[in-house]
Structures are given as structure tokens and as C-alpha cells.
Amino acid sequence: MTKQVKRKDIEEPKSLTEAIEITEIFYYDQDTYPSKELRLRKGINKDIAEEYSGLVKLAQEHEEQHWSVRTVRLFPEFNQGPDAEIQFLAHPSSMIQITCANEIGERYLLRRELANNPQKVVSKMYTEHGADLEVKTRLDRIIKAIEAKDKKFYHGTDTLLIIEDPDLNFLKDRGLHEKVCENVQKQNLGSKYERIYIIYGLRIRRVK
């Protein structure tokens, strides 16, 4: 069994290769990080699932845009300022605020039920909503997340990273992710952040 990383480990600057390795072990080594603990989001499971993995995905996106990444790191948990930093080889560092739009209301309750009753089907709320209402539901909570972070904006922070639920199987063919992002862009939000990204599982899209 691989030894679990500690919070202080992911607060130290890591190369993108090292950071990717941490997240891959987290999601694929269930002996080290059991699925139930991951869903309950306790300790390092919360830190990696809700912040670090999103940060790494954002760094990978920058790499694809030819912004060579030097290091990534989270700031200490109670830091009064941005949540994370990406350092580049030839660009100024990016200071990032991270928020989870899916950690509210019934989504939180669903995740806890999944952890405690993994065999129980608890997706009723999705199938009842349907695609159009699901887009509205996600749009509303993303807008609220942006507005909340704008109110607590820290000078020098350039990027807001929003973690969302990935598309469900029955909604993938209807382009849920694309519809939500397009609707966010139509809002013409006067956000203080220079860049805003939304992550759905393994996919990331810039909406500002």
C-alpha cells in the first residue's frame, strides 16, 4: 500500500509530473484511499478531491496552452488569501481561488448517502430534473459561487476555479457541460477575476 500524502506535502511546490502522480494514486489506489473515505471528504481526501486535483487539472490546461508549468502547490489551509499557486517557466505566477459549487444542499447529502449506502440508487433527483432543469440548477449554483467569491476577492488573485459535478450518463448526449458553460458566459459577469474556469470531472472549460 502506498502511504497517504499529508496536507503539508501538497503545500510544498511540486512539479506537474509529481502532482499528477499524487492525484492518480488518489483516484486509482483504493487500498490507500478507499472509495468511502473519498466520498465522505475527510482530511486529505477533502484536500485532494476538492482542491488539489482541480489545481492539477488547471495546470495541465495551461501546459496545453503552451504555458510551461514549473510548480504547483496549495497554500496552508487557513491562509488569508488565494488557495493555490501555479508557477510558470516564462510567465508570472498565477494565484488561484478554488470553490466547489457542488458542495451545497442536496449534492452534499447525496454524496454522504453514496458513502454510507454504495449499493443504493440515489440519483432520483437527477432523473426527475431532466436536462433543462439540470442546466438551470447548475447555472444558478455556479453564479452564486462566483458572486460569493467576488465578495471575498483577494488582491493579486487572478483565477477562480470552480469544481462541479461531472455530466451524468443520461445527460452526456445532451451536452450538459457545454450548455452550462455557454449560459455562464452569457451572463457577462463583471467578476473581479481575470480568468474563471469550470471543471467537470476530467474536463475543464474557461468561461471568462
Side-chain angles (χ1 to χ4, degrees):
M1 180 188 295
T2 304
K3 186 178 180 181
Q4 284 194 3
V5 299
K6 299 182 182 298
R7 172 78 193 200
K8 65 179 179 62
D9 296 324
I10 54 179
E11 289 174 0
E12 296 175 357
K14 303 284 186 189
S15 71
L16 184 54
T17 300
E18 292 172 320
I20 290 172
E21 183 178 2
I22 289 172
T23 59
E24 286 182 344
I25 291 172
F26 177 72
Y27 284 110
Y28 297 113
D29 184 349
Q30 294 191 6
D31 290 328
T32 304
Y33 301 97
S35 296
K36 180 174 180 178
E37 291 184 16
L38 189 157
R39 293 193 185 105
L40 287 174
R41 298 288 203 271
K42 292 182 177 179
I44 196 65
N45 294 279
K46 178 180 175 67
D47 297 332
I48 297 179
E50 296 182 6
E51 292 185 288
Y52 200 67
S53 61
L55 175 65
V56 172
K57 185 64 183 174
L58 178 60
Q60 290 177 289
E61 174 72 6
H62 286 311
E63 280 275 322
E64 291 181 8
Q65 300 302 318
H66 307 294
W67 283 37
S68 297
V69 173
R70 184 192 298 275
T71 61
V72 301
R73 65 163 173 160
L74 293 182
F75 288 121
E77 194 170 3
F78 299 107
N79 179 58
Q80 292 298 311
D83 296 314
E85 176 187 34
I86 298 176
Q87 290 190 341
F88 302 99
L89 293 176
H91 293 85
S93 296
S94 176
M95 299 297 175
I96 302 138
Q97 193 74 46
I98 305 172
T99 188
C100 293
N102 59 357
E103 285 300 296
I104 58 174
E106 58 188 6
R107 252 55 176 200
Y108 170 77
L109 297 175
L110 170 64
R111 183 169 49 70
R112 291 192 65 84
E113 192 165 358
L114 274 169
N116 293 313
N117 302 284
Q119 303 304 317
K120 187 176 179 180
V121 178
V122 289
S123 59
K124 181 180 178 183
M125 64 181 186
Y126 295 111
T127 55
E128 285 182 344
H129 281 179
D132 290 341
L133 186 53
E134 185 68 15
V135 169
K136 184 180 185 305
T137 299
R138 291 176 183 234
L139 174 64
D140 288 347
R141 70 180 187 228
I142 287 170
I143 296 302
K144 288 179 181 177
I146 294 172
E147 290 174 344
K149 289 302 178 181
D150 265 334
K151 290 178 180 178
K152 298 181 179 180
F153 179 80
Y154 295 104
H155 179 71
T157 309
D158 55 80
T159 300
L160 176 61
L161 180 63
I162 302 172
I163 313 298
E164 249 290 355
D165 288 334
D167 294 0
L168 298 170
N169 287 334
F170 88 100
L171 288 171
K172 281 185 178 178
D173 293 338
R174 307 185 197 185
L176 173 65
H177 177 59
E178 289 73 17
K179 287 181 181 178
V180 173
C181 290
E182 288 168 4
N183 276 274
V184 173
Q185 289 173 314
K186 289 177 183 177
Q187 305 301 309
N188 293 319
L189 297 169
S191 174
K192 299 174 183 176
Y193 294 93
E194 180 182 346
R195 297 180 289 270
I196 299 177
Y197 290 86
I198 302 176
I199 287 182
Y200 283 75
L202 297 177
R203 295 191 291 171
I204 184 169
R205 180 160 171 173
R206 183 175 176 177
V207 296
K208 181 189 176 186

